[in-house]
Amino acid sequence: MAISPSIITGSHVLKHRHGMSGMESSDGEEYTYQDESGEEDVGGVESQEEEEEYSYSDGEGGCAPVPLPPPSSSMADGCKVIDADELRATMSALIDDISSVLAIHPCAAAALLRHYNWNKESVIDSFCTDPDQAKEKAGIMRFVPDLQTSDKGRLCGICREDVPAEALVALGCGHFFCRGCFTQYLVSKVEEGMGCPLTRCPEYRCPEMVTENFFRVLVPHATLAAYLRYSLKSFVDICSAFRWCPGRGCDFVAMGNSSLRACLCKCGMLFCFRCGEEAHVPASCEDMVTWVEKCKNESETANWILANTRKCPKCATRIEKNQGCNHMTCRQCKFEFCWICMGPWTEHGANTGGYYKCNKYDPSTPTKDEQDGAKAKAELDRYLHYYQRYDNHHKAQEYATKQEEEIERRMMRLQETDGSRWIDVQFLKVANEKLVECRRVLKYTYVFGYYLPEGTARKRLFEHHQENLEKFTEHLSWLSEQSLEEFKKEEKRSEVVNYTRVTETFLKNLLKSVEDGLMDEDGEDMEEGGWEGKSEPGRRAGAAGGGQVGEAAEEGRRTLPSRDGAGGGARARRSGVARA
Amino acid sequence: MTDYATELLKRQLHELNKNPPEGVSVGLVDDSVFEWELLLVGPADTLYEGGFFKARLTFPSDFPNMPPTMTFQTEMWHPNVYEDGRVCISILHPPGEDRFNSQESADERWRPILGVEAIIVSVISMLSDPNDESPANIDAAVQWRNDRAGFKKRVRAVVRKSQEDL
């Protein structure tokens, strides 16, 4: 990628922090330079891919309302998706269970469960060891299922009014308040949000818990509904066996365990059960946290500044020299100096080898500043390499997801033009779904790859898998976008079908290989070029898909170099992996 | 909600004026019943004895379900008072459970039953008995713990200043 703000001669004073590619679109900040003529131009970097045929647009993949068939890969197994009603039933079953085992009221059972983080065993353990202590901790020491009424009028401690007996209410603890103040208190607790299931008596230091029944009796309908939602939400948040689907506006909940890497919701969202983000195999949750943090913060911007700017020797303003001669004038303090030696320009002349020359500079002894600059620049380049490809696949994934409707239309039209059956045109949809999946995985391979140590056999093996998947994904993408006219030919259709299958095989190989710790079957030390004769993934693909797949793969090998999008072209050409 | 709070605050102000706790006088800052001014005489037998401390109480619109904030206007030197004068004691913390906090401290937090009088009582007790477990002013807390003589000197200076400012 070329870091190329538009070409302006002379010196620039960096007016703002400088942004980097991709970053600026995400946070909407604009970074401006000012050149000597006072014009502003937007700094930043253009990605080369923008000129390609895809007209990507922003937008959410979001939650499609239509349930999709499960993806063919086995990534989403072992996870059950339930809706709010089923969830409520699960929660009630747990409460009823405790209620009957310990012979206590369900509301008291719920309070106990909440206190012991919904862990049935610890509730029973603690209760059987010392019931009074367990009750006290859970705030149900003096639990009564219904509101207490007073036998005489009293002063309400909150509003300080004398209140007649019939308007007073209390929990089991017997602290009476007027109904209005008590209700007001409960409503304000629900308005506060998440903590409302753990509301206690309004009396100072009274540990008695306000259980669900009291909310039911006292608060208005809408507030009660909110209370029940928060109650359910805290149940899911606390139990590690549940996870809300992160899809926008989606209320489904996944049941599973933390060893699950991916979970497919009924809304179509595929997410990681452990961290609740979009499924990110092969990258780990930890890698994702670091990566997202890295992309968010400005450490790379700082690196950019280090690599591309120098401080004015007088006022220390950061200056970027884009073009022009070495005679710099700081816009800030008007100090004139030499870009090469950073010394005052007044010292330059015949004795430095000519007015516009500076023989003071000795390249064999780089200064500390320059060494740091070079290091930062190298690290920045490395990051940008990964980020750009990550971003590219991300956009391609969004594009492919958005294509779903268009694909449906194409399928309809294809059926109309040549009278093929619904089942005959499914291949387009299947191919697109595979594309979305591959794009997603490819996106995260760049996170995974970024954190894999350089120069290791594992990394070489990984990049080999990545490159294969990338090649086939790009080719499948191109194939499935051909005109409908092309798809009238039977061989074109089977080409798409075959490529979908081969691509899936490569996808599985990549994920399997990462799962196995990226160990080559023959041991660790794979030399460069050793791939030539091995062709492992290709062979497996051939074996899996039958003869036609072999042809497809062969075809892919021949056509791909010219269509190599995000992958390294040189590597793609060198390796003959897909040989049948 | 606001009417409810207004009504309650008026009543509490009236009660306090009629029957003020020892060494304390209260009044409104302006016309708003949500901004109170407090003059606190340093309690006898404490380091703060003889001082005249001005403080503000700012009430939220959802009082009494949420607590007011208290800020000393007079310069203060105390482990539980921030350098900007804000008082940090548990009953002035919003009510509610914090799953990651021990239950005892949640019990000590604000409840709607508490009124201005309870706050005044707590602040007086805070002056005589600083809590250096969870300090707001760390320097003051360290000095209180390690250099009691220095702490006393500093407090005396604060007391003198409060008398001069009056």
Side-chain angles (χ1 to χ4, degrees):
Chain A
M1 148 187 301
I3 294 175
S4 59
S6 52
I7 297 160
I8 301 163
T9 52
S11 60
H12 298 227
V13 174
L14 207 55
K15 281 280 180 186
H16 278 261
R17 292 169 301 158
H18 187 270
M20 293 193 332
S21 92
M23 301 297 193
E24 52 208 14
S25 60
S26 61
D27 57 21
E29 274 186 75
E30 213 173 64
Y31 303 91
T32 52
Y33 296 93
Q34 228 162 15
D35 69 7
E36 285 181 328
S37 60
E39 285 170 14
E40 280 195 343
D41 74 316
V42 177
V45 189
E46 282 171 320
S47 102
Q48 295 154 358
E49 276 76 15
E50 272 176 19
E51 291 137 34
E52 289 204 350
E53 69 271 40
Y54 297 129
S55 55
Y56 299 127
S57 48
D58 295 330
E60 293 292 325
C63 249
V66 194
L68 299 173
S72 40
S73 69
S74 59
M75 280 164 53
D77 289 348
C79 157
K80 194 183 168 203
V81 177
I82 59 177
D83 64 16
D85 289 339
E86 290 169 280
L87 181 68
R88 196 163 283 129
T90 313
M91 186 169 113
S92 300
L94 194 57
I95 293 171
D96 290 345
D97 202 13
I98 289 292
S99 168
S100 67
V101 169
L102 303 179
I104 52 175
H105 191 273
C107 279
L112 276 170
L113 277 162
R114 259 186 218 114
H115 180 77
Y116 289 100
N117 290 337
W118 294 96
N119 186 328
K120 200 168 129 182
E121 282 72 32
S122 49
V123 168
I124 295 174
D125 265 11
S126 319
F127 197 88
C128 294
T129 317
D130 187 346
D132 282 352
Q133 199 194 2
K135 279 183 183 173
E136 196 178 333
K137 279 185 174 170
I140 49 163
M141 198 56 183
R142 279 166 290 178
F143 174 81
V144 287
D146 300 308
L147 278 177
Q148 302 236 69
T149 49
S150 177
D151 50 355
K152 59 178 198 298
R154 294 164 201 251
L155 184 82
C156 166
I158 300 179
C159 64
R160 320 263 163 130
E161 297 223 45
D162 284 317
V163 182
E166 64 272 19
L168 286 166
V169 289
L171 304 176
C173 55
H175 295 121
F176 282 97
F177 300 97
C178 73
R179 195 175 261 264
C181 285
F182 210 122
T183 307
Q184 191 83 260
Y185 171 61
L186 296 188
V187 170
S188 86
K189 297 304 285 184
V190 175
E191 278 166 1
E192 259 171 58
M194 283 302 289
C196 67
L198 296 171
T199 301
R200 291 168 191 267
C201 170
E203 178 64 44
Y204 186 52
R205 292 191 178 188
C206 176
E208 197 63 22
M209 201 62 88
V210 184
T211 54
E212 191 178 310
N213 268 3
F214 299 103
F215 278 92
R216 281 190 187 280
V217 174
L218 290 171
V219 303
H221 190 73
T223 312
L224 179 65
Y227 169 83
L228 294 175
R229 266 201 309 280
Y230 284 124
S231 161
L232 205 59
K233 190 165 180 352
S234 75
F235 171 64
V236 172
D237 289 348
I238 291 170
C239 293
S240 57
F242 298 98
R243 163 86 58 190
W244 292 103
C245 168
R248 187 168 286 187
C250 176
D251 279 334
F252 286 112
V253 172
M255 271 169 84
N257 61 64
S258 60
S259 67
L260 273 174
R261 298 299 298 277
C263 185
L264 181 73
C265 181
K266 284 175 186 167
C267 74
M269 178 87 192
L270 188 67
F271 62 95
C272 171
F273 193 85
R274 257 188 89 201
C275 68
E277 299 293 327
E278 179 187 45
H280 49 69
V281 280
S284 69
C285 299
E286 291 74 22
D287 280 353
M288 285 312 295
V289 171
T290 334
W291 175 258
V292 169
E293 186 61 28
K294 188 173 183 63
C295 293
K296 249 194 238 159
N297 76 26
E298 290 173 325
S299 69
E300 296 305 330
T301 313
N303 278 342
W304 185 94
I305 290 169
L306 265 183
N308 295 282
T309 70
R310 290 182 192 180
K311 283 181 186 161
C312 164
K314 200 168 162 214
C315 71
T317 303
R318 280 281 171 187
I319 294 168
E320 179 199 7
K321 180 171 144 65
N322 200 288
Q323 264 200 10
C325 73
N326 294 325
H327 178 183
M328 307 296 286
T329 307
C330 173
R331 276 180 61 84
Q332 211 65 34
C333 66
K334 311 288 177 228
F335 182 64
E336 292 178 59
F337 63 96
C338 168
W339 186 253
I340 304 281
C341 69
M342 304 302 282
W345 191 253
T346 46
E347 290 171 19
H348 286 65
N351 54 347
T352 58
Y355 196 59
Y356 284 99
K357 291 220 172 71
C358 179
N359 61 9
K360 286 176 166 181
Y361 179 61
D362 182 7
S364 62
T365 55
T367 64
K368 173 97 178 34
D369 217 23
E370 282 161 346
Q371 276 175 347
D372 288 352
K375 228 187 267 170
K377 196 168 166 62
E379 172 49 29
L380 179 67
D381 284 345
R382 191 176 106 83
Y383 169 68
L384 287 180
H385 171 93
Y386 286 91
Y387 182 78
Q388 194 187 20
R389 283 156 183 78
Y390 167 87
D391 192 50
N392 190 33
H393 282 300
H394 175 68
K395 285 176 177 152
Q397 180 195 349
E398 283 187 342
Y399 175 77
T401 310
K402 281 187 122 181
Q403 274 306 94
E404 275 163 16
E405 280 177 35
E406 173 63 20
I407 303 277
E408 297 279 346
R409 276 197 293 278
R410 274 165 69 90
M411 286 160 66
M412 297 289 281
R413 254 182 292 146
L414 191 55
Q415 280 186 63
E416 284 159 16
T417 46
D418 66 351
S420 38
R421 288 167 304 160
W422 179 80
I423 193 85
D424 296 330
V425 296
Q426 281 301 302
F427 72 96
L428 278 176
K429 192 175 171 186
V430 173
N432 195 62
E433 281 165 7
K434 194 48 64 189
L435 276 177
V436 173
E437 190 183 353
C438 287
R439 291 290 185 194
R440 192 193 66 242
V441 171
L442 278 170
K443 171 167 78 171
Y444 293 116
T445 60
Y446 281 100
V447 180
F448 184 79
Y450 181 77
Y451 292 110
L452 261 186
E454 293 289 346
T456 58
R458 292 176 67 225
K459 183 143 192 166
R460 283 197 294 276
L461 176 60
F462 176 71
E463 283 180 341
H464 164 80
H465 282 304
Q466 183 185 41
E467 176 191 310
N468 278 329
L469 181 59
E470 208 153 48
K471 267 193 303 189
F472 281 88
T473 305
E474 296 297 339
H475 191 65
L476 180 61
S477 172
W478 175 75
L479 270 182
S480 58
E481 278 175 12
Q482 290 176 105
S483 73
L484 289 178
E485 212 44 45
E486 291 287 318
F487 287 127
K488 284 184 183 170
K489 299 175 201 144
E490 183 53 38
E491 68 267 24
K492 282 286 175 191
R493 292 189 187 193
S494 38
E495 199 182 352
V496 172
V497 172
N498 287 331
Y499 259 95
T500 307
R501 225 180 309 167
V502 178
T503 309
E504 180 175 351
T505 311
F506 278 93
L507 177 67
K508 278 184 181 161
N509 287 343
L510 183 142
L511 293 176
K512 173 105 180 35
S513 173
V514 171
E515 214 171 280
D516 296 347
L518 289 170
M519 300 303 273
D520 189 76
E521 284 163 13
D522 294 351
E524 295 203 22
D525 264 332
M526 284 300 304
E527 283 307 313
E528 287 282 322
W531 302 114
E532 208 70 41
K534 294 236 152 201
S535 318
E536 270 306 316
R539 273 189 202 159
R540 274 186 217 144
Q548 276 186 326
V549 174
E551 276 174 47
E554 178 67 20
E555 175 72 16
R557 192 181 62 82
R558 278 190 265 111
T559 39
L560 280 171
S562 59
R563 294 219 31 90
D564 200 282
R571 276 191 74 90
R573 271 182 287 277
R574 180 177 45 72
S575 70
V577 271
R579 199 167 295 146
Chain B
M1 197 76 185
T2 315
D3 294 344
Y4 177 70
T6 309
E7 199 49 46
L8 194 58
L9 284 169
K10 272 188 192 158
R11 194 170 305 149
Q12 289 201 13
L13 183 66
H14 181 71
E15 271 174 32
L16 280 169
N17 277 330
K18 211 169 62 182
N19 197 7
E22 202 188 315
V24 179
S25 67
V26 292
L28 297 184
V29 175
D30 298 310
D31 289 339
S32 165
V33 75
F34 290 92
E35 284 277 328
W36 290 26
E37 198 166 47
L38 224 75
L39 185 68
L40 206 80
V41 181
D45 301 326
T46 70
L47 298 178
Y48 299 87
E49 182 169 359
F52 294 97
F53 301 101
K54 274 189 206 159
R56 291 249 167 123
L57 276 173
T58 308
F59 296 88
S61 61
D62 49 0
F63 183 82
N65 291 318
M66 286 303 238
T69 55
M70 180 167 170
T71 313
F72 277 104
Q73 309 283 295
T74 317
E75 192 188 317
M76 204 37 170
W77 185 251
H78 190 282
N80 304 111
V81 178
Y82 287 101
E83 280 166 71
D84 64 359
R86 268 182 303 129
V87 177
C88 174
I89 51 177
S90 56
I91 73 157
L92 289 180
H93 291 160
E97 303 293 321
D98 187 342
R99 269 210 321 128
F100 304 103
N101 213 326
S102 66
Q103 202 176 310
E104 289 74 44
S105 86
D107 274 353
E108 309 272 321
R109 289 186 180 187
W110 179 260
R111 299 277 176 104
I113 181 81
L114 296 169
V116 179
E117 193 171 346
I119 297 171
I120 292 171
V121 169
S122 298
V123 169
I124 289 175
S125 123
M126 170 196 94
L127 289 180
S128 56
D129 185 18
N131 170 13
D132 58 356
E133 297 289 305
S134 57
N137 183 339
I138 295 174
D139 293 339
V142 169
Q143 201 184 28
W144 160 260
R145 208 180 285 191
N146 301 335
D147 175 18
R148 200 54 70 87
F151 184 83
K152 281 181 186 167
K153 210 171 153 192
R154 184 86 189 250
V155 172
R156 270 201 298 278
V158 165
V159 168
R160 256 198 312 280
K161 194 161 184 297
S162 80
Q163 293 164 337
E164 286 161 14
D165 288 353
L166 201 68

